[in-house]
Amino acid sequence: METNGGVIRPTPQQARAALADTEQIHASTTALSATPWPLWFTTALTLYIAAIPQVYGGLVAASEWLLPKVAWAVVMVVMTAAYLALFAVAATTWKKKTGVALRLNVLPKRATVPMAVGLPALLVGSPIAFRATGEPVWLFAASAVGAAVSIAFHLTFVRLHRKNS
């Protein structure tokens, strides 16, 4: 470093290195904000997604299916409340851990848009198909596909995070 009347000025090489460090910190922050959920929340989310078709199927069934409709409604409310509470805990924990709020706008649209459209269609369409046909295979197939999509989505963002880190 050079001194000029008491003022310390970095050399051009030091200034470039500092700028490169700033870019690396910016890239790191972006990668952190795209990091997947913690494993415990991913597991809870996958179980929630897998349960929705059966519970919703029980609600829309032409007649009582396995449980009374009131019981299915209670299960749906309790399940959704538990999911929302876990979501709040995961978001708070994430912000405390990284200092960055959870943001979906940094995730690639080529992955989020198909999931945002396809998963609800799958989870709502299968109970409708079940009501129309009376065949519970629609519900179980939707559960399996929904769980697989949830796990694949998580693994995609694990890979994205590793690539950006």
Side-chain angles (χ1 to χ4, degrees):
M1 290 195 194
E2 303 172 3
T3 59
N4 185 5
V7 177
I8 300 174
R9 296 183 187 236
T11 64
Q13 293 82 11
Q14 290 171 327
R16 284 187 201 96
L19 285 174
D21 288 345
T22 302
E23 287 299 320
Q24 185 178 4
I25 290 168
H26 177 67
S28 245
T29 303
T30 301
L32 278 176
S33 63
T35 302
W37 296 104
L39 187 57
W40 65 265
F41 185 73
T42 301
T43 304
L45 179 60
T46 300
L47 292 173
Y48 178 73
I49 288 170
I52 287 175
Q54 282 80 15
V55 175
Y56 192 47
L59 280 170
V60 301
S63 60
E64 287 188 358
W65 180 66
L66 302 177
L67 295 172
K69 289 187 188 256
V70 173
W72 286 118
V74 169
V75 169
M76 182 65 99
V77 168
V78 169
M79 192 172 77
T80 302
Y83 165 73
L84 292 173
L86 289 174
F87 181 88
V89 168
T92 302
T93 304
W94 178 254
K95 186 160 184 171
K96 284 180 185 175
K97 178 181 171 185
T98 65
V100 178
L102 288 169
R103 296 175 20 208
L104 294 176
N105 64 341
V106 297
L107 303 175
K109 301 248 184 288
R110 69 182 184 277
T112 55
V113 170
M115 189 172 119
V117 173
L119 196 57
L122 175 74
L123 298 179
V124 172
S126 62
I128 293 169
F130 166 65
R131 180 176 169 93
T133 64
E135 295 292 327
V137 70
W138 293 104
L139 304 175
F140 297 113
S143 289
V145 170
V149 166
S150 177
I151 292 167
F153 200 70
H154 177 73
L155 292 175
T156 297
F157 291 112
V158 167
R159 189 174 62 225
L160 173 70
H161 176 67
R162 286 186 186 144
K163 188 165 76 170
N164 287 337
S165 295

